[in-house]
Amino acid sequence: MNPAWALAALGLVDAAFSGFRAYAGRDARIRKHRAVVHAALRGLSVGAVLLLAPAFTAGAVLLLAEDPDRAYGALADGGVGFLVPLGAYALAVLFSLAAYLALPFRASTLAVVVGLGPLTLARPLVVAAACAGALVAGGGWTSLLVGAVAGAAVLCVEPYVHRRWYAPAY
């Protein structure tokens, strides 16, 4: 099983949410649907560019490997190990979003405070767990390298979008 497409999809969705988070709370207008979509697209575009880094890293690992088939298998195993913590995290976020959208106002506010807030703060820990999963799942050091590059890329989207477009001008 090659988890590359699933990881890319999760990375791009996370990048879109990172763009939203970089924008959220910085605009006092009531109707800001267009601005929210614009912020999410900014995050998505930055994430698409930054997520090329792990793809190039994996390509370099395969080009430099003595046995490319074995290296590909190790990267695939590491990718599955990387995907497991991220998939569990994505399910928790999806559950919190579903609660936010489906529940009445007070309960949906509680879902955001109890679910999405702590989950946002846990993103770096989840990425670290995913890197450890890549190493433990049999991917070896090359999978850890690709996972670390992917994790750094994912975690850099929100600060970049914030500083580029939404940082206050002092």
Side-chain angles (χ1 to χ4, degrees):
M1 175 184 156
N2 186 346
W5 292 111
L7 288 169
L10 280 177
L12 292 174
V13 169
D14 185 76
F17 279 111
S18 293
F20 167 75
R21 282 192 307 271
Y23 165 76
R26 307 201 188 290
D27 191 346
R29 291 180 289 174
I30 294 174
R31 298 180 193 272
K32 49 190 168 187
H33 178 72
R34 277 180 86 179
V36 167
V37 170
H38 197 232
L41 289 176
R42 284 178 171 167
L44 182 63
S45 62
V46 169
V49 171
L50 287 177
L51 288 176
L52 290 174
F56 288 139
T57 304
V61 165
L62 290 175
L63 285 175
L64 297 174
E66 293 178 13
D67 185 4
D69 291 334
R70 186 171 176 211
Y72 182 83
L75 286 177
D77 291 343
V80 171
F82 195 82
L83 182 62
V84 169
L86 294 181
Y89 177 80
L91 285 176
V93 169
L94 188 64
F95 180 73
S96 292
L97 280 174
Y100 171 71
L101 295 173
L103 295 175
F105 178 73
R106 289 184 182 199
S108 66
T109 303
L110 181 65
V112 168
V113 171
V114 172
L116 293 177
L119 287 172
T120 300
L121 294 175
R123 285 179 70 236
L125 298 174
V126 172
V127 169
C131 289
L135 183 64
V136 171
W141 295 105
T142 55
S143 291
L144 179 62
L145 173 67
V146 174
V149 170
V154 163
L155 293 176
C156 285
V157 171
E158 185 176 346
Y160 179 79
V161 171
H162 172 73
R163 287 191 181 111
R164 173 69 175 86
W165 287 288
Y166 302 113
Y170 293 111

